Amino acid sequence: MLPFSYAIRNLLRDPTRLLQKVLGAALVVFLVFAAGAFNSGMERVLQATGSAQNVILLGAGSEESVERSEVAVQAETLAAAGIRGIDTRAGVPAVSGEVHYMGKVMLANGNESQALLRGVTPTAFEVHREVRVLEGRFPGPGELIVGRLAYRTLKTDAEDLAIGKSITFEGQEFEIVGHFDAPGTVLESEIWLNRSDLMTLTQRDNLSCVVVRMEDPESFARADLFARQRLDLELVALPETEYYGKLAEFYAPIRGMTWLTAVLVAIGAALGGMNMLYAAFASRIREIATLQAIGYSRLSIFTSLLQESLLASLIGTLLAAFMAVTLLEGVTINFSIGTFRLLLTPNVIGLALVSGLLLGSLGAIPPALRCLRAPLPKALRSS
């Protein structure tokens, strides 16, 4: 076998060509990191937002959008009294009638932005138990609390949403009286305010949904039975996990586009790298023939050529990994229903590393085989 140092020396023969190989591999692997982190982050936040114990009662026909849903106000009380198996805490049933509204708000600095507002009552904390008030208190009339990442959705600085600042919605000024978080969910990019305030300002006389927390996930059938029996309320019951699962399906084309972009760029880079290697190996065809003439087998020469390509690809992969950790990890992305963080999960890292290896190996095999197939006498006479 040819020594490994032979592959390293050949790799360093042409620094310009080496740089092109490394940067090409780094670009492709970085795109794989980005596409994977985007998909993992969005999928994780939608999965984490739904609780297996929660059931959402929506208006019939509005299963895919809680904002379009209309539920009678009395459904909250009727659900609390009519559904068996509702979880309770300190004697309070975990039932929360809510209003969801996407609208424009104006910050104290004059900036306007879209935000998801959720009109709630204190029982919202009984069903969304991942929500914690970090500082401040629950809002009263004319007040609101903001999620930890709401500043990202509002495209402003976190200081603009400090306690004591104000947010104007539909011409009425609301004072910020608290901050909350709900780690890993879309809730922490929302604005919560008094439900009556939101219903008055949006001129609604009904709710968007009623969220019910059951004692155990298997109790969904009881909530579903309630929705089917109360035909007058025109409700449909969905496990909260299923609702957010449908949202994940809704965004599947966007996630698919990120993968498609990465694959197309990878194919382009592989073809470009292959052409580069064709030229590089063809210029060494006499040297390769000489190695065969002095006794090295085609397999050992092929292995050495593959090592060269893999080394360049590996350097590019390591560079891409460094860029991904530096530029992608933890970056927050806004989308229509909230904010999520890019996540470099073990699966994403593994996929990117495999992509780098495939790029280095598949791109080198055809040029190497072509050089080795040349007849030895003809190859030795080539210039």
Side-chain angles (χ1 to χ4, degrees):
M1 294 291 287
L2 284 163
F4 185 62
S5 58
Y6 174 74
I8 296 176
R9 282 199 304 272
N10 283 323
L11 193 65
L12 298 174
R13 275 183 182 179
D14 189 340
T16 303
R17 188 167 285 168
L18 172 62
L19 186 63
Q20 289 176 332
K21 292 178 190 173
V22 170
L23 292 181
L27 174 64
V28 172
V29 177
F30 180 75
L31 280 175
V32 173
F33 269 120
F38 181 89
N39 282 281
S40 296
M42 181 180 283
E43 194 171 346
R44 178 76 62 85
V45 76
L46 289 175
Q47 286 178 351
T49 301
S51 167
Q53 286 181 252
N54 284 359
V55 177
I56 303 181
L57 299 175
L58 296 163
S62 303
E63 292 89 339
E64 295 182 354
S65 173
V66 69
E67 292 169 50
R68 291 201 303 268
S69 169
E70 294 185 355
V71 176
V73 175
Q74 62 267 32
E76 181 181 21
T77 309
L78 294 173
I83 300 176
R84 292 185 297 115
I86 292 178
D87 196 12
T88 60
R89 195 160 61 177
V92 178
V95 179
S96 172
E98 302 176 356
V99 176
H100 296 223
Y101 187 83
M102 180 69 79
K104 274 191 173 182
V105 299
M106 180 183 289
L107 305 180
N109 58 16
N111 290 344
E112 274 192 343
S113 188
Q114 289 279 348
L116 181 59
L117 298 105
R118 188 182 295 233
V120 295
T121 63
T123 56
F125 290 97
E126 300 300 326
V127 297
H128 303 295
R129 296 187 180 173
E130 68 277 24
V131 176
R132 300 173 302 168
V133 176
L134 298 175
E135 54 180 339
R137 57 180 170 77
F138 188 80
E143 299 172 339
L144 50 79
I145 55 176
V146 295
R148 185 173 60 90
L149 297 178
Y151 74 96
R152 295 284 307 177
T153 306
L154 297 175
K155 299 180 177 64
T156 188
D157 297 325
E159 292 76 19
D160 293 331
L161 301 181
I163 292 178
K165 299 275 188 177
S166 63
I167 291 178
T168 302
F169 173 65
E170 294 291 336
Q172 180 168 330
E173 190 172 284
F174 289 84
E175 181 186 358
I176 299 173
V177 296
H179 294 145
F180 68 90
D181 76 348
T185 72
V186 296
L187 301 178
E188 57 185 353
S189 59
E190 296 179 353
I191 297 174
W192 285 18
L193 66 161
N194 186 281
R195 190 175 77 190
S196 297
D197 282 350
L198 187 56
M199 292 179 70
T200 301
L201 291 173
T202 56
Q203 299 181 344
R204 289 189 64 140
D205 56 4
N206 47 46
L207 306 174
S208 299
C209 66
V210 176
V211 184
V212 179
R213 185 178 181 85
M214 307 303 293
E215 290 176 340
D216 57 74
E218 285 70 33
S219 299
F220 165 73
R222 296 172 181 172
D224 187 45
L225 180 62
F226 171 80
R228 292 174 185 275
Q229 287 181 335
R230 293 305 303 254
L231 299 179
D232 56 318
L233 297 176
E234 297 183 343
L235 295 174
V236 61
L238 286 177
E240 198 174 45
T241 50
E242 183 178 326
Y243 173 74
Y244 284 101
K246 287 186 176 181
L247 280 183
E249 291 176 9
F250 177 78
Y251 288 105
I254 298 175
R255 302 205 311 272
M257 285 299 295
T258 62
W259 283 121
L260 181 62
T261 303
V263 168
L264 290 177
V265 173
I267 292 173
L271 292 176
M274 201 179 294
N275 282 334
M276 192 187 303
L277 289 175
Y278 268 120
F281 292 166
S283 65
R284 292 162 50 196
I285 192 166
R286 189 174 183 181
E287 171 191 332
I288 292 171
T290 303
L291 289 173
Q292 292 182 70
I294 62 177
Y296 286 104
S297 68
R298 288 185 172 181
L299 178 61
S300 65
I301 298 171
F302 173 81
T303 304
S304 180
L305 295 175
L306 196 60
Q307 286 173 346
E308 286 181 41
S309 179
L310 283 173
L311 275 173
S313 180
L314 181 60
I315 296 170
T317 302
L318 292 176
L319 177 62
F322 174 76
M323 291 165 59
V325 171
T326 307
L327 303 176
L328 299 179
E329 177 67 10
V331 172
T332 53
I333 301 292
N334 294 330
F335 68 123
S336 60
I337 65 167
T339 301
F340 66 90
R341 291 174 183 272
L342 299 182
L343 288 179
L344 296 175
T345 62
N347 286 341
V348 173
I349 295 171
L351 180 62
L353 295 179
V354 169
S355 301
L357 291 175
L358 288 176
L359 198 64
S361 56
L362 296 181
I365 291 173
L369 291 178
R370 184 186 179 191
C371 287
L372 291 170
R373 276 203 298 263
L376 196 57
K378 182 180 177 182
L380 287 171
R381 287 196 300 270
S382 64
S383 57

